[in-house]
Amino acid sequence: MKSDNIMNDLRILTFIPVSIVGIVFIFFLFNSIQQFDKLQTLQKNNSKIEKISILVMHLQQERGLSSGYLGSKGTKFSTQLAKVKKKLTMTTKN
C-alpha cells in the first residue's frame, strides 16, 4: 500500500513539471510562428516600398530632365531623357 502511494506521488510530481514544460513549449512555439508570419509580411511590404522608391526616383529624374528639355526648347537632355523614360517603363512593368 505504501509503495503504491509513493508511486502515485512520484507520478504526480513528474507529471506536473512535464506538463508545465509542455505548456511553456507550446506557448513559445505559437509565439515564434506569429513572429515568423509578421516577419514575412514585413518582408513583402519592404519589397513593395523598395519598388515604389525606385519608381519615385525615376519619376523625379524624368521630371527634372523634362524641365531641362522643355526649357532648352528641345536642344538639350534628349538622350538622357530617353534613357530615364526607358528605365521608368521597365520599372512600371515590374
Side-chain angles (χ1 to χ4, degrees), residues 18-64:
V18 169
S19 298
I20 292 172
V21 168
I23 291 169
V24 169
F25 174 76
I26 290 170
F27 171 77
F28 282 115
L29 180 66
F30 182 72
N31 192 22
S32 296
I33 290 170
Q34 284 182 328
Q35 286 182 345
F36 182 74
D37 289 342
K38 288 178 184 177
L39 286 174
Q40 282 184 324
T41 302
L42 184 63
Q43 186 178 11
K44 289 176 187 176
N45 289 341
N46 188 34
S47 176
K48 291 176 186 177
I49 289 170
E50 185 178 340
K51 289 178 183 179
I52 290 170
S53 176
I54 292 170
L55 176 65
V56 168
M57 180 188 70
H58 290 313
L59 284 170
Q60 289 172 336
Q61 288 175 344
E62 194 229 357
R63 180 178 177 221

Side-chain angles (χ1 to χ4, degrees), residues 57-90:
M57 180 188 70
H58 290 313
L59 284 170
Q60 289 172 336
Q61 288 175 344
E62 194 229 357
R63 180 178 177 221
L65 289 169
S66 293
S67 296
Y69 179 78
L70 292 173
S72 71
K73 298 188 192 236
T75 60
K76 297 180 182 177
F77 305 111
S78 60
T79 56
Q80 295 97 326
L81 186 58
K83 288 178 185 177
V84 170
K85 283 185 178 184
K86 185 176 180 181
K87 285 181 187 177
L88 187 58
T89 303
M90 290 179 5

